[in-house]
Amino acid sequence: MKNGRFILPEKLQGKQGRTLLAVGIGLLAMVLILLSELFPTRQTTAAAGEKLDTAAYQTQLEQRLETLVSQMSGAGKTTVMVTLETGEESIYAVDTQSGELQTQNTHVLLDDGSALTETVYLPQVQGVAVLCEGGGDVRVAARITEMIGALLDLPSNRICVEQRR
């Protein structure tokens, strides 16, 4: 680069040379596009692998609650069980075409034939059971119930805290 300009070889400096350079860059771009279509990107395979299994979600939630409750003062050794009301729900993108007499809704499809996911809702928690060494103490049970209710937005009648034997 000299004075803000690229220095080109003698063969590429004329009008024909610039045309040849533009054609060469165009061909290179087309080859890169062709290669990108032949090899799948990591992004699409990662998106498919990100879908969380309902059982895995339930187990992860139980482990996190167990860890948290066991660290509360007076709780002691803890076991938590979570029940789920629903599974994972996916809402798919819809393309709406309106005519004078009717409206037609069709799902938006991706190149691989799968539907475009617009929103994914996590499973809804139905209830939580907690067994802990301090579960026999009313104050400890009330604090655990309050904490789990706040974390999961559950009413207290869906949370059961009992003493572990």
Side-chain angles (χ1 to χ4, degrees), residues 4 33 37 43 54 66 75-76 78 80 102 105-106 116 122 125 127 139 150 152:
I33 291 171
E37 291 293 321
Q43 190 174 22
T54 302
E66 201 169 292
T78 305
V80 175
Q102 66 182 25
N105 293 329
T106 55
L116 176 64
L122 292 174
V125 176
R139 293 172 300 191
L152 301 177

Side-chain angles (χ1 to χ4, degrees), residues 85 125-128 145-146 148-150 152-160:
E85 195 171 322
V125 176
Q126 182 173 357
V128 178
T145 301
E146 186 179 337
I148 291 177
L152 301 177
D153 194 26
L154 280 178
S156 60
N157 66 334
R158 291 187 174 216
I159 303 166
C160 179

Side-chain angles (χ1 to χ4, degrees), residues 3-4 16 25-26 28 41 45 47 54-55 58 60 65-66 71 87 105 107 120 132 138 141 147-148:
N3 295 333
Q16 286 182 333
I25 291 173
L28 180 64
T41 60
T45 55
T54 302
Q58 183 177 7
Q60 180 187 22
L65 286 173
E66 201 169 292
Q71 293 178 6
N105 293 329
H107 287 288
V120 176
C132 63
V138 177
M147 182 183 65
I148 291 177

Side-chain angles (χ1 to χ4, degrees), residues 7 24 43 47 63 73 87 89 103 124 128 131 163:
I7 299 174
Q43 190 174 22
Q63 289 172 349
S73 175
E89 283 187 62
T103 301
Q124 294 294 311
V128 178
L131 293 176
Q163 184 165 0

